[in-house]
Amino acid sequence: MSTFKLVVRDLGKDFNRRTIFRGLTFSLAVGDSLAITGNNGSGKSTLSKILGGVLSPSKGFVAYFVNNAKVQEEQMKDSVGFVSPYLNLYDEFTAAENLRILSLIRAGKKPFQSRADELIGMVGLWPRRDDPVGIYSSGMKQRLKYAFALLHEPPVLILDEPTSNLDEEGTEVVKEIVRMQKKTGILIVATNDSREAKWCKKKIVMKVAGA
Ligand SMILES: Nc1ncnc2c1ncn2[C@@H]1O[C@H](COP(=O)(O)OP(=O)(O)O)[C@@H](O)[C@H]1O
Ligand SMILES: [Mg+2]
């Protein structure tokens, strides 16, 4: 079995001349879980994006290591599953088609059809899999984002506001996903809900810059 590590050194981010955060240093290995908490505008989403390799830091670095070999920056996204309010789905396509598009984007991955079916079932969308996503409710869209995020079995799963728009049943599905991810990989949860923060063993509290 391969080992996986996420290493953060002296990480900082500015937007224009506004400092969002500075000096974050930590590392996470398989089995680790990290809650990123703090008030609105404190930088939770910004930090999540940087940890997922989809936004560049202004200072320091984030690196992933598989068996102590550094993952190239362009390959980092293959190691991450992301669920967030700002992630968009293709409204004109069905759930099944959305998953097919994603698997094509992640070219070179193993055949996905049975896993896509399994995930659509797991998030409770099987009866609606052939409907265009544009007519889904916001909670149904949120459920589909979990199927998206898990399609390639990512070692790092990043959840920004994990239960937004979800009903109790959807929240239970998320808790099960969280339980499984903590066994097999790294879990990062950005939230200002203290119950969600308790899913994680470690915690960072972000502070609104200048406050
Ligand atoms: N693309 C951007 N350009 C400029 N400022 C941004 C951008 N994205 C976020 N910010 C600013 O960064 C700060 C942190 O935002 P964000 O990470 O979304 O906070 P949180 O998720 O904790 O509510 C806010 O002041 C926000 O206005
Ligand atoms: Mg946010």
Side-chain angles (χ1 to χ4, degrees), residues 31-69:
D32 278 339
S33 48
L34 174 71
I36 302 169
T37 66
N39 292 343
N40 298 139
S42 59
K44 300 182 296 298
S45 296
T46 300
L47 176 58
S48 313
K49 289 179 201 170
I50 295 173
L51 296 181
V54 297
L55 183 68
S56 302
S58 310
K59 275 174 67 66
F61 68 85
V62 175
Y64 296 173
F65 294 88
V66 177
N67 294 331
N68 294 320

Side-chain angles (χ1 to χ4, degrees), residues 30-35 182 187 197-203:
V30 169
D32 278 339
S33 48
L34 174 71
K182 287 196 287 187
L187 174 75
K198 286 196 187 106
W199 299 345
C200 302
K201 278 186 242 164
K202 301 180 177 179
K203 183 161 113 168

Side-chain angles (χ1 to χ4, degrees), residues 92-171:
E92 60 272 42
F93 295 111
T94 69
E97 286 166 345
N98 266 280
L99 287 175
R100 173 171 290 275
I101 294 164
L102 182 77
S103 76
L104 291 175
I105 294 169
R106 298 189 192 279
K109 296 284 148 187
K110 54 194 167 183
F112 76 101
Q113 193 58 58
S114 61
R115 177 146 179 91
D117 286 352
E118 181 196 331
L119 289 168
I120 290 173
M122 186 179 80
V123 299
L125 292 174
W126 186 253
R128 302 295 300 273
R129 68 189 181 283
D130 294 324
D131 285 355
V133 166
I135 67 164
Y136 276 20
S137 71
S138 50
M140 290 167 71
K141 286 184 181 177
Q142 178 74 356
R143 286 172 181 232
L144 184 57
K145 288 177 186 179
Y146 278 90
F148 255 66
L150 296 171
L151 189 61
H152 56 304
E153 303 178 66
V156 182
L157 181 63
I158 302 178
L159 310 178
D160 191 359
E161 300 181 20
T163 60
S164 59
N165 297 311
L166 288 181
D167 56 20
E168 265 179 45
E169 185 196 80
T171 301

